[in-house]
Amino acid sequence: HRNTSSLAEQRFSSVFTGEEFFLADHVVKGQRVLPGVAYLELARAAVVQALELAASQARDVRLEQVVFAQPVVVGDAPVEVHIALVPQDGGSVSFEVYTQVVGEEEARVHAQGRARVAAAADAPIEDLDRLRSQCPQVFASEACYAEFARMGLAYGPAFQSLMEVRVGQDAAGRLLAVGELALPSKVSESSKAFVLPPSLLDGVLQASMGLVLAHPQDKLSLPFAVEAVELYGAVPEKAVAVVRQSAGSTIGDAVLKLDVSLVDAEGRVCVQL
């Protein structure tokens, strides 16, 4: 929300009260938790401002090696969140999202990673009809959000963008989920301020719930790290999530690795994680 840089560091700071839709409607085990996808937009926006990129380059920021260390939890009191940026050799920028708690000498690091500016290549194309045909199991949104709630994840209306999810296997035999997404009407206006709208981007991750419903497990899974975030185009209000099990990763592993894409109705990939 504001530039709080000094000679010591390049920094931006935001104060969150917990009333923001991405906190009020994202509750984990009774606590309002800043979603993992919010850090991605936070970092992207900070890099755009720090490098004074033109509006036409807003989607040219590639995020890499993002790690979510510990969540930002907003209770009764507002929380001030900082993001520090440090230029690296080769033109990349490292970033660190942190909070400074009164009485604690060390800052609490919540997320870190690096970014670089590179115009995206042509958007990959997904054959959505073929992918849907490979997914015979269909779960309605009610089943998904009921399972989320059972596992301790309470999504309010602003974060219920998953309409249904289909589950199956791709041609290579990897687990596959295809989710139908729609931007909730509650945030249709406010989401225009985002290049990576948190409600829809979280919906892409929510689509992985289809894999859990098809292969039940009791543990709560949350994003831990993202290897890369590629932006190819504007995110539409209605989109499709394509979730694939990464090569070498299997359900039941301590860390499940997924390749996920947010795709428009014509099959063009808009965002890839």
Side-chain angles (χ1 to χ4, degrees):
H1 290 154
R2 67 192 192 284
N3 190 331
T4 56
S5 302
S6 68
L7 290 178
E9 70 177 356
Q10 171 82 46
R11 187 179 77 170
F12 297 91
S13 303
S14 302
V15 175
F16 297 127
T17 66
E19 299 303 313
E20 298 84 359
F21 74 87
F22 45 82
L23 282 162
D25 284 1
H26 187 266
V27 178
V28 180
K29 295 190 181 299
Q31 295 182 307
R32 294 178 294 191
V33 173
L34 192 66
V37 294
Y39 296 95
L40 305 181
E41 175 70 351
L42 184 69
R44 185 208 60 78
V47 171
V48 166
Q49 291 194 40
L51 297 181
E52 297 183 325
L53 300 180
S56 60
Q57 294 179 287
R59 286 190 291 271
D60 291 348
V61 176
R62 175 188 168 99
L63 303 178
E64 300 172 336
Q65 305 300 323
V66 181
V67 176
F68 306 111
Q70 59 177 310
V72 170
V73 177
V74 181
D76 296 332
V79 174
E80 187 172 35
V81 177
H82 309 287
I83 179 167
L85 307 173
V86 180
Q88 304 294 312
D89 293 339
S92 66
V93 177
S94 67
F95 64 86
E96 188 173 84
V97 180
Y98 68 93
T99 54
Q100 189 72 59
V101 178
V102 175
E104 293 185 9
E105 186 174 339
E106 294 291 325
R108 293 185 184 179
V109 177
H110 299 279
Q112 55 191 6
R114 68 172 186 263
R116 61 184 177 86
V117 180
D122 292 337
I125 303 295
E126 296 279 13
D127 185 341
L128 294 178
D129 289 337
R130 181 176 61 84
L131 292 175
R132 290 185 181 112
S133 71
Q134 294 172 333
C135 296
Q137 288 183 278
V138 182
F139 299 98
S141 62
E142 292 80 7
C144 294
Y145 288 110
E147 182 65 11
F148 281 130
R150 187 186 72 81
M151 298 173 74
L153 258 173
Y155 288 115
F159 261 67
Q160 293 185 18
S161 59
L162 185 62
M163 301 293 100
E164 72 168 26
V165 61
R166 300 167 181 262
V167 183
Q169 292 184 338
D170 65 10
R174 296 182 300 175
L175 293 175
L176 172 69
V178 178
E180 308 298 327
L181 305 176
L183 185 68
S185 58
K186 180 180 178 180
V187 291
S188 60
E189 196 60 37
S190 59
S191 286
K192 293 177 181 177
F194 300 95
V195 169
L196 294 171
S199 298
L200 280 173
L201 205 59
D202 202 78
V204 177
L205 302 186
Q206 292 171 23
S208 66
M209 176 53 67
L211 303 182
V212 176
L213 289 170
H215 304 271
Q217 57 180 4
D218 291 325
K219 64 181 181 180
L220 174 63
S221 295
L222 294 172
F224 167 71
V226 182
E227 184 177 339
V229 181
E230 291 271 19
L231 286 75
Y232 293 98
V235 174
E237 292 196 2
K238 289 191 175 181
V240 179
V242 177
V243 181
R244 290 184 178 89
Q245 170 191 358
S246 299
S249 181
T250 59
I251 291 284
D253 286 352
V255 176
L256 176 62
K257 296 182 181 180
L258 303 172
D259 300 321
V260 304
S261 298
L262 187 149
V263 184
D264 69 15
E266 285 71 47
R268 287 188 297 268
V269 174
C270 305
V271 184
Q272 201 166 48
L273 286 77

